[in-house]
Amino acid sequence: MVAELEPVETRPSLRERTRIVIFEADTPAGRAFDVALFSLILGSVIAVMMESVAAVRAAHGPWLRATEWVVTALFTVEYGVRLWCVREPFRYARSFFGVVDLLAILPTYLSLVLPGSQSLLTIRALRLLRIFRVLKLSHFLGDANLLLSALRSGRRKVLVFLGTLLVLALILGSAMHLVEGPTHGFTSIPRSVYWAIVTMTTVGYGDITPQTLPGQILAAGIMILGYSIIAVPTGIFTAEIVAQWRRPVSTRTCPACLTEGHDPKARYCKDCGAPLTGE
Amino acid sequence: MVAELEPVETRPSLRERTRIVIFEADTPAGRAFDVALFSLILGSVIAVMMESVAAVRAAHGPWLRATEWVVTALFTVEYGVRLWCVREPFRYARSFFGVVDLLAILPTYLSLVLPGSQSLLTIRALRLLRIFRVLKLSHFLGDANLLLSALRSGRRKVLVFLGTLLVLALILGSAMHLVEGPTHGFTSIPRSVYWAIVTMTTVGYGDITPQTLPGQILAAGIMILGYSIIAVPTGIFTAEIVAQWRRPVSTRTCPACLTEGHDPKARYCKDCGAPLTGE
Amino acid sequence: MVAELEPVETRPSLRERTRIVIFEADTPAGRAFDVALFSLILGSVIAVMMESVAAVRAAHGPWLRATEWVVTALFTVEYGVRLWCVREPFRYARSFFGVVDLLAILPTYLSLVLPGSQSLLTIRALRLLRIFRVLKLSHFLGDANLLLSALRSGRRKVLVFLGTLLVLALILGSAMHLVEGPTHGFTSIPRSVYWAIVTMTTVGYGDITPQTLPGQILAAGIMILGYSIIAVPTGIFTAEIVAQWRRPVSTRTCPACLTEGHDPKARYCKDCGAPLTGE
Amino acid sequence: MVAELEPVETRPSLRERTRIVIFEADTPAGRAFDVALFSLILGSVIAVMMESVAAVRAAHGPWLRATEWVVTALFTVEYGVRLWCVREPFRYARSFFGVVDLLAILPTYLSLVLPGSQSLLTIRALRLLRIFRVLKLSHFLGDANLLLSALRSGRRKVLVFLGTLLVLALILGSAMHLVEGPTHGFTSIPRSVYWAIVTMTTVGYGDITPQTLPGQILAAGIMILGYSIIAVPTGIFTAEIVAQWRRPVSTRTCPACLTEGHDPKARYCKDCGAPLTGE
């Protein structure tokens, strides 16, 4: 109801306009930039993958290497422009996508010193995660945030679970090393622990398998154990998501003591006894 | 309580009667048609499967090919009749089952030009999904719809999850390509990414396995990661189903005491005994 | 409040006493019978398993065969006594454990006609499920019933899910048959469908694996699909168990119209308006 | 508000001070002790693992054996000191970590009599679980307890599930032994049951695979069964965790209006504003 004094609209500086194109996705120019960037990343990741295939490298090697250098040059310029136009360059450089943007160009330069390290260029694929900004962004970001916050709030429980899983794999792997012995592929404890993890996660390559009856009985027990404890992360995560979805608490604030978290049906503040209003 | 004026029952046209037989499953004729159609589809799918077995093809090849052509002719006629008798032919042709009905006959004709393409005839199996109409249909359709709507409302979350899974597979596969190298089966990045997906989904064929200690340590980490993130789709879907099941309480208010929260089928107020209206 | 006339306690007949020993687990004699029976079943199952090992059969074959016949004779007598002492023999004979008790003796007699069919004797293992009666029975039976009723009420949804899974396996297996062709192990559609099921359930034997790049891409898609839809039965079952645990409905019955399912806090019948009593 | 009479602070005995360092993790000395102990355990577990690798044992065997004896001596002294300084030695000796502490030193002494038994030393890894005490302990212990209590209250249901799983594996494995026969790797019932467990848990090594069509059809059924019943432990555990999280509302009643269902920390009635007492 109160008329606000609008600031005089001045034409923003070049730096500000660049920032909006690069970092915002809502303007037509920003959206076009994001789509172009996404295509470039996707193309360069596919080029890196193709170059690793011996037959393709033999036929198109120089051309693919040239593409790689062109894309790296473009990304280097883009990284510089991002640092220049953003308001807080250090904060961007330390953010998740800031680090990814840097990692996406380093391997090409590194490959001058260490040949073969251009395989690391697929780390550029992490930049593809920006696509969630291009597609109907708010919804996708909301869903990604919901999943992330469910993962984060279940983090400690998952750490307890993983620690226990590793200790179990260590002990059960050693037991198999004793029971089966080196003649059946369980040549050392590290290799037996690797086998235990392959088995408990139900991956089951079959490159190492128990051959004796006691070994097979122990292995069957390990499988059933692994099959059962798959329930633990699932249960933790499901319960976290269900918990994220329940918002039963009223958003009202007590007008007297400013306490929050009242029952939706409460009529008096549970903390100071003052009558609640609204809702 | 008000006597309604019933329309004079006229004998429906042939087209209308055909439509009821083909598209409705509640009349005896419609049910018989559905059962006959289901048997025909099942038989033709089994015939296509049998024809692909070399020994069976050698012994009964011509007979099976003839069956295929007879069934295709019948299905072509049926498709034409469906188009003729349905009220909105274009809507049917663009619907899920309309497209399936067309795809179920095309491969036979295609095999005249492209030998071997009759393997595509197993797409007829999609027509088998009509069985849910034949069996106690309302219940099954209700359950199918519940599952579909849970899947649909969790769709965006699943897309975020799958995108992240693919990017992880890309990066972890490339890392294994670097660590293990081409001599241990990780001959190229695409092949290493294929291995990463085989491992993260806990399928674990064992056609490519890490041989070095660093590779096995990295692989163990990838397995535990894959084993843990199986929790994500499960959690999303479970939470969606639980959310679908929370039966909404009636929004009616008692006209006498204004109490809310009545059972949707209640006829009297549970709190003061006054009769409820509406709904 | 009304004193009931107690029937004069007469000594029960032999048939009745036998029935109590065999079918009830709460008396000392009944418990001893159950423990003895359980040991006998366990021993006979182990004997059948041992007999199938070539080395053991060579050494102890006749002795194991004799054991089998003795146990079968005992079980035949037990089955006869059960039929004699139970009040409704036909109902017992048609019940789950009645059928199991009969199946547990038939294979031995069958092996006179069909040598080798004594492997079927492990069906005796189903009798081991009686152990839940011997252990603190009410708790275990309650838990088993909870699981069974969750499975039963999710039955239709699981059927819809399995039907869709099979149709998907059929179509995706046929597609792999086309893409990979018979030279890479996908020799026929039935075999390719078997491969698709092995892959979608994340079992992944590795006896058949895709060798070409298009085949590996399609296979990766099938794996991720299978990995994702593992969420469906889990979600259905979890939601069913959670639903079984919520018992928010009052057990009161309306004294006027005998309607059930009232809200625990309701004071008047929601169906006829009569005041509710009790609770 | 009432001034409490503080007991005269006397310097605690050496035994008491030792106890605080060893068993408490909140003092600087206690934390330093825990960190040192953790490093020692981790180092010794790695040494045991390394010793089992043939190449490492050939190069550094004597040095690793010496390390093992030094660590065992240190742990033996530590175990003695723990027994000496704890207030109830027998209770500690019978506790989980008391038994683990003893088991962590026995294998070295045992290896004097039974060479090779030092592989059992990886049981020391169980001592690593103490790390949850060193890290922000109360949170981690709370999470571990939550998981443990969810596991414990679902214990009986899981036993019913595992019993049924084993009986199913027994019967289905025997059926495969009949169907496939010894020529395709299903040489005996125990081996076929091992295969059934490998398949039902979706591990799928591929060391034994069905070769005939009937065997592959039966195997596909077993896979889908196993894939579906993975839902059972997941469902049980998820429902248990969800149940553990339902925060119990306070049982206090408002002294003025007798309303119930107050927040456990509420100080005033949410319905009439009267102060709450108790709790």
Side-chain angles (χ1 to χ4, degrees):
Chain A
M1 273 111 170
V2 182
E4 290 181 25
L5 194 72
E6 295 226 331
V8 180
E9 180 82 24
T10 57
R11 184 163 170 73
S13 67
L14 175 69
R15 194 177 147 212
E16 180 65 11
R17 272 178 292 150
T18 314
R19 194 190 65 75
I20 288 173
V21 168
I22 293 183
F23 282 94
E24 310 282 334
D26 285 335
T27 62
R31 182 166 281 263
F33 176 80
D34 277 355
V35 169
L37 184 64
F38 185 77
S39 316
L40 199 60
I41 300 168
L42 198 62
S44 88
V45 167
I46 291 173
V48 172
M49 289 178 75
M50 287 300 103
E51 207 206 328
S52 74
V53 181
V56 177
R57 188 170 52 235
H60 309 286
W63 188 82
L64 287 166
R65 286 288 297 183
T67 311
E68 204 173 278
W69 276 104
V70 170
V71 172
T72 302
L74 285 173
F75 283 177
T76 309
V77 170
E78 183 219 349
Y79 185 69
V81 172
R82 277 181 190 265
L83 277 178
W84 166 66
C85 73
V86 82
R87 282 179 198 146
E88 298 178 72
F90 285 108
R91 205 170 149 202
Y92 161 70
R94 283 197 316 266
S95 73
F96 174 70
F97 275 119
V99 172
V100 166
D101 289 349
L102 185 59
L103 288 178
I105 51 178
L106 283 189
T108 315
Y109 299 115
L110 197 67
S111 71
L112 291 177
V113 191
L114 274 166
S117 59
Q118 64 263 39
S119 286
L120 289 170
L121 279 173
T122 53
I123 211 158
R124 277 176 188 169
L126 275 179
R127 299 195 82 193
L128 291 176
L129 291 179
R130 282 176 195 264
I131 194 169
F132 297 132
R133 280 173 35 114
V134 182
L135 304 167
K136 279 208 201 109
L137 85 155
S138 59
H139 283 163
F140 278 95
L141 283 184
D143 286 330
N145 282 342
L146 177 72
L147 294 184
L148 274 181
S149 82
L151 284 176
R152 200 172 299 131
S153 72
R155 198 183 49 225
R156 272 208 322 270
K157 278 181 213 68
V158 168
L159 277 183
V160 169
F161 166 71
L162 287 185
T164 313
L165 188 74
L166 282 177
V167 167
L168 276 175
L170 210 53
I171 291 170
L172 294 171
S174 306
M176 281 301 281
H177 178 61
L178 261 189
V179 168
E180 283 281 324
T183 51
H184 296 125
F186 296 80
T187 48
S188 67
I189 293 183
R191 193 168 158 85
S192 304
V193 171
Y194 162 74
W195 171 87
I197 292 174
V198 168
T199 299
M200 290 178 79
T201 55
T202 78
V203 169
Y205 284 136
D207 50 350
I208 319 169
T209 52
Q211 307 293 329
T212 65
L213 188 65
Q216 290 180 342
I217 291 173
L218 182 54
I222 294 174
M223 280 165 219
I224 290 174
L225 184 70
Y227 184 74
S228 299
I229 61 181
I230 211 172
V232 176
T234 304
I236 294 169
F237 186 73
T238 305
E240 293 287 352
I241 285 196
V242 170
Q244 299 272 343
W245 277 359
R246 273 189 211 146
R247 277 161 309 168
V249 176
S250 159
T251 57
R252 288 180 301 172
T253 309
C254 169
C257 71
L258 302 180
T259 311
E260 290 181 345
H262 298 291
D263 191 289
K265 287 181 185 165
R267 292 194 293 141
Y268 290 91
C269 173
K270 64 183 180 177
D271 218 38
C272 74
L276 293 174
T277 55
E279 195 136 318
Chain B
M1 271 112 168
V2 182
E4 291 181 24
L5 194 72
E6 295 224 333
V8 180
E9 181 81 27
T10 58
R11 185 163 169 72
S13 67
L14 175 69
R15 195 177 146 213
E16 180 64 13
R17 271 178 292 149
T18 314
R19 195 190 66 75
I20 288 173
V21 167
I22 293 184
F23 282 94
E24 310 281 334
D26 285 336
T27 62
R31 181 166 282 263
F33 176 80
D34 277 355
V35 169
L37 184 64
F38 184 77
S39 316
L40 199 60
I41 300 169
L42 198 62
S44 88
V45 168
I46 291 173
V48 172
M49 290 178 74
M50 285 300 103
E51 207 207 327
S52 75
V53 182
V56 176
R57 189 170 51 236
H60 309 286
W63 187 84
L64 286 166
R65 286 288 297 181
T67 311
E68 204 172 279
W69 276 105
V70 169
V71 171
T72 301
L74 285 173
F75 282 178
T76 309
V77 170
E78 183 219 350
Y79 184 69
V81 172
R82 277 181 191 264
L83 277 178
W84 166 67
C85 72
V86 81
R87 281 178 200 149
E88 300 179 70
F90 285 107
R91 207 171 147 201
Y92 160 70
R94 284 199 315 266
S95 73
F96 174 70
F97 275 118
V99 172
V100 166
D101 290 349
L102 185 59
L103 287 177
I105 51 178
L106 283 189
T108 315
Y109 298 115
L110 197 67
S111 70
L112 291 178
V113 190
L114 274 166
S117 60
Q118 64 263 40
S119 287
L120 289 170
L121 279 174
T122 54
I123 212 158
R124 277 177 187 168
L126 275 179
R127 299 195 83 193
L128 292 176
L129 292 178
R130 281 176 196 265
I131 193 166
F132 297 133
R133 280 171 37 112
V134 183
L135 305 167
K136 278 207 202 112
L137 85 156
S138 60
H139 284 163
F140 278 96
L141 282 184
D143 286 330
N145 282 341
L146 178 72
L147 294 184
L148 275 181
S149 81
L151 285 176
R152 200 172 299 133
S153 71
R155 196 183 51 223
R156 272 208 322 271
K157 280 181 212 67
V158 168
L159 277 184
V160 169
F161 165 71
L162 286 185
T164 314
L165 188 74
L166 282 178
V167 167
L168 276 176
L170 209 53
I171 292 169
L172 294 171
S174 307
M176 281 302 282
H177 177 61
L178 262 188
V179 169
E180 283 280 326
T183 51
H184 296 126
F186 296 80
T187 48
S188 67
I189 294 184
R191 195 168 156 85
S192 304
V193 171
Y194 162 73
W195 171 87
I197 292 174
V198 168
T199 300
M200 290 178 79
T201 54
T202 78
V203 169
Y205 284 137
D207 49 351
I208 318 170
T209 53
Q211 306 294 329
T212 65
L213 189 64
Q216 289 180 341
I217 291 172
L218 182 53
I222 294 175
M223 280 165 218
I224 290 173
L225 184 70
Y227 184 74
S228 300
I229 61 181
I230 211 172
V232 176
T234 305
I236 294 168
F237 186 72
T238 305
E240 293 288 350
I241 284 197
V242 169
Q244 299 272 344
W245 274 359
R246 287 207 190 117
R247 222 174 318 159
V249 177
S250 162
T251 57
R252 288 179 302 169
T253 309
C254 169
C257 70
L258 303 179
T259 311
E260 290 180 345
H262 298 292
D263 193 288
K265 287 181 185 167
R267 293 194 293 142
Y268 289 91
C269 172
K270 64 182 180 179
D271 219 36
C272 74
L276 293 173
T277 56
E279 197 137 315
Chain C
M1 270 112 170
V2 182
E4 292 181 23
L5 194 74
E6 297 226 331
V8 180
E9 179 82 26
T10 57
R11 185 163 169 71
S13 66
L14 175 67
R15 194 177 147 212
E16 180 64 11
R17 272 179 291 149
T18 314
R19 194 189 65 75
I20 288 173
V21 167
I22 293 183
F23 282 94
E24 310 281 336
D26 286 336
T27 62
R31 181 166 282 264
F33 176 80
D34 277 354
V35 170
L37 184 64
F38 185 76
S39 317
L40 199 59
I41 300 168
L42 198 61
S44 90
V45 167
I46 291 173
V48 171
M49 289 178 75
M50 285 300 102
E51 208 206 326
S52 75
V53 182
V56 176
R57 188 170 53 235
H60 309 285
W63 187 83
L64 287 166
R65 286 288 297 182
T67 311
E68 205 172 279
W69 276 104
V70 169
V71 172
T72 301
L74 285 173
F75 283 178
T76 309
V77 169
E78 183 219 349
Y79 184 69
V81 172
R82 277 180 191 265
L83 277 179
W84 166 67
C85 73
V86 81
R87 280 177 200 150
E88 299 179 72
F90 285 107
R91 209 172 143 199
Y92 160 70
R94 284 199 316 266
S95 72
F96 174 70
F97 275 120
V99 172
V100 166
D101 289 349
L102 183 60
L103 288 178
I105 51 179
L106 283 189
T108 316
Y109 298 115
L110 197 66
S111 70
L112 291 178
V113 189
L114 275 167
S117 60
Q118 63 263 38
S119 287
L120 290 170
L121 279 173
T122 54
I123 212 160
R124 276 176 187 167
L126 276 178
R127 299 196 82 194
L128 291 176
L129 292 178
R130 283 177 195 264
I131 192 167
F132 297 132
R133 281 172 35 113
V134 182
L135 305 167
K136 277 206 203 113
L137 85 155
S138 60
H139 283 164
F140 278 96
L141 281 185
D143 286 329
N145 282 342
L146 177 71
L147 294 185
L148 274 181
S149 81
L151 285 176
R152 201 172 299 132
S153 71
R155 197 184 49 221
R156 270 207 324 268
K157 279 181 213 65
V158 168
L159 277 184
V160 170
F161 165 72
L162 287 185
T164 313
L165 188 74
L166 283 178
V167 167
L168 277 176
L170 208 53
I171 292 169
L172 295 171
S174 305
M176 281 301 282
H177 178 59
L178 262 189
V179 169
E180 283 280 325
T183 51
H184 297 128
F186 295 80
T187 48
S188 68
I189 294 184
R191 194 167 157 86
S192 303
V193 171
Y194 162 73
W195 170 87
I197 292 174
V198 168
T199 299
M200 291 178 79
T201 53
T202 78
V203 169
Y205 285 136
D207 49 350
I208 318 170
T209 53
Q211 306 294 328
T212 65
L213 188 64
Q216 290 180 342
I217 291 173
L218 182 53
I222 295 175
M223 280 165 217
I224 291 174
L225 184 71
Y227 183 72
S228 300
I229 60 181
I230 210 171
V232 176
T234 306
I236 294 168
F237 186 73
T238 306
E240 292 287 352
I241 285 196
V242 169
Q244 299 273 343
W245 276 0
R246 276 187 210 149
R247 276 163 309 168
V249 176
S250 159
T251 57
R252 287 178 302 170
T253 308
C254 168
C257 70
L258 302 180
T259 311
E260 289 181 346
H262 298 291
D263 192 287
K265 286 179 184 169
R267 293 194 293 141
Y268 290 91
C269 172
K270 63 183 179 177
D271 219 38
C272 72
L276 293 173
T277 54
E279 198 138 314
Chain D
M1 272 110 171
V2 182
E4 291 183 22
L5 194 73
E6 295 226 333
V8 180
E9 180 82 25
T10 57
R11 183 164 171 71
S13 67
L14 174 67
R15 195 178 146 211
E16 180 64 11
R17 271 178 294 148
T18 314
R19 194 190 64 75
I20 288 173
V21 167
I22 293 183
F23 282 94
E24 311 280 336
D26 285 336
T27 62
R31 181 166 282 262
F33 176 80
D34 276 354
V35 170
L37 184 64
F38 185 76
S39 318
L40 200 60
I41 299 168
L42 198 60
S44 88
V45 167
I46 291 172
V48 172
M49 289 178 76
M50 286 300 104
E51 208 206 327
S52 76
V53 182
V56 176
R57 188 170 51 236
H60 309 285
W63 187 83
L64 286 166
R65 286 289 297 183
T67 312
E68 203 172 279
W69 276 104
V70 170
V71 172
T72 303
L74 285 173
F75 282 177
T76 310
V77 170
E78 183 220 349
Y79 184 69
V81 173
R82 277 180 191 265
L83 276 179
W84 166 67
C85 73
V86 82
R87 279 176 201 151
E88 298 179 74
F90 284 108
R91 206 170 147 201
Y92 160 70
R94 283 198 316 266
S95 73
F96 174 71
F97 275 118
V99 172
V100 166
D101 290 348
L102 184 60
L103 289 177
I105 50 179
L106 283 189
T108 315
Y109 298 116
L110 197 67
S111 71
L112 290 178
V113 190
L114 274 166
S117 60
Q118 63 264 39
S119 287
L120 289 171
L121 278 174
T122 54
I123 212 157
R124 276 176 187 168
L126 276 178
R127 300 195 82 193
L128 291 176
L129 291 178
R130 282 177 195 264
I131 193 168
F132 297 132
R133 281 172 35 114
V134 183
L135 306 167
K136 279 209 200 108
L137 85 155
S138 60
H139 283 164
F140 278 96
L141 282 185
D143 285 330
N145 283 340
L146 177 71
L147 293 184
L148 275 181
S149 81
L151 284 176
R152 201 171 299 131
S153 71
R155 196 183 50 222
R156 270 208 323 269
K157 278 181 213 66
V158 168
L159 277 184
V160 169
F161 166 72
L162 286 185
T164 313
L165 188 74
L166 283 178
V167 168
L168 276 175
L170 208 53
I171 291 169
L172 294 171
S174 306
M176 281 301 281
H177 177 60
L178 261 189
V179 169
E180 283 281 324
T183 51
H184 297 128
F186 295 81
T187 48
S188 67
I189 293 184
R191 192 167 160 85
S192 304
V193 171
Y194 161 74
W195 171 87
I197 292 174
V198 168
T199 299
M200 290 179 79
T201 54
T202 78
V203 170
Y205 284 136
D207 50 350
I208 319 169
T209 53
Q211 306 294 330
T212 65
L213 188 66
Q216 290 180 342
I217 291 173
L218 182 54
I222 294 175
M223 280 165 216
I224 291 174
L225 185 70
Y227 183 73
S228 299
I229 60 181
I230 210 173
V232 176
T234 305
I236 294 168
F237 186 73
T238 305
E240 293 286 352
I241 284 195
V242 169
Q244 299 272 342
W245 275 359
R246 288 210 189 112
R247 224 174 316 159
V249 176
S250 160
T251 57
R252 287 178 301 171
T253 309
C254 168
C257 71
L258 302 180
T259 311
E260 290 181 344
H262 298 291
D263 192 287
K265 286 179 183 168
R267 293 193 295 140
Y268 289 91
C269 172
K270 64 181 179 177
D271 220 39
C272 72
L276 293 172
T277 55
E279 198 139 314

